[in-house]
Amino acid sequence: STADHMRHRELESFAGDVAHDLKGPLTAVALWMDTADSEAQADIDAGRHALHRARQASLRMAAIIEDCLAYTTTRAGIIRPRDVDLGDVVREVASVYESRGAVVDVAVDETVRADPTLVRRLMGNLIGNAVKYARPGTEPWIRVSVEPHDRPGWSRVLVADRGIGIDDADAETIFDKFARTAQGSATGEGTGLGLALCRSIVRRHRGAIRAYRNSWG
């Protein structure tokens, strides 16, 4: 059928993108391991540095694989909605980042009908993204709040930060698979799937998600 053909083409494209993104860190692991092998006897510090860089590259591969599995599972898996205290979920996620120096202002007193595992992943990705793109030299600050929605039974959740901001062009594409902002591409941050996963989770709950600049940047 046409739908099956489209899914097959999308799977081929997705697999190609994953392979492309894994090729870089995989090559880096091999190169740094070779460097460690050649440097270890003559210069132990240089050998340790090379091993550290190889480990960083392997962790990046692991993050890509984890996000790929989460993305495909979320799109195809069954959601199990129930009443979820959104404030408890956000505070649980926030505590992880607060222990690392971030300031997370939680203004949420809301019960939502949603899959608790997916909501936790959604909020973790959004708050984590805000922490990752904090302004250099400043502690990450994030505010999570809920505003009234014009549709009965729906909630509008806002995740605001004082980070480096986002260009209008990036705001249109940031939720696409393997999309990165100019800053993310330059620094190698992120896998390009975190926000795509967020959109997938929100859409599975029949909602919508978007990004825009605020008055803080």
Side-chain angles (χ1 to χ4, degrees), residues 175-192:
F175 296 101
D176 294 341
K177 296 191 304 292
F178 298 105
R180 292 191 182 96
T181 63
Q183 296 97 328
S185 297
T187 61
E189 291 280 0
T191 64

Side-chain angles (χ1 to χ4, degrees), residues 95-119:
S95 66
V96 175
Y97 292 99
E98 287 173 331
S99 67
R100 304 174 189 172
V103 176
V104 186
D105 178 12
V106 181
V108 179
D109 182 16
E110 193 89 357
T111 299
V112 296
R113 188 75 178 172
D115 184 303
T117 301
L118 295 183
V119 167

Side-chain angles (χ1 to χ4, degrees), residues 4-86:
D4 289 338
H5 182 65
M6 290 181 63
R7 278 194 295 270
H8 182 70
R9 289 189 61 182
E10 183 180 3
L11 180 60
E12 286 184 335
S13 175
F14 185 71
D17 289 337
V18 173
H20 179 270
D21 265 41
L22 285 174
K23 186 176 181 180
L26 182 59
T27 301
V29 169
L31 289 173
W32 284 113
M33 290 299 289
D34 286 343
T35 301
D37 185 51
S38 63
E39 295 281 357
Q41 291 186 355
D43 187 341
I44 189 64
D45 288 336
R48 286 174 175 167
H49 174 71
L51 287 174
H52 173 69
R53 294 297 298 269
R55 182 174 183 273
Q56 287 181 314
S58 68
L59 290 174
R60 175 161 174 75
M61 280 195 297
I64 292 171
I65 293 169
E66 181 182 353
D67 277 356
C68 287
L69 290 173
Y71 179 75
T72 54
T73 301
T74 299
R75 293 195 67 201
I78 299 172
I79 67 171
R80 295 177 173 83
R82 63 179 176 83
D83 288 342
V84 178
D85 188 320
L86 187 59

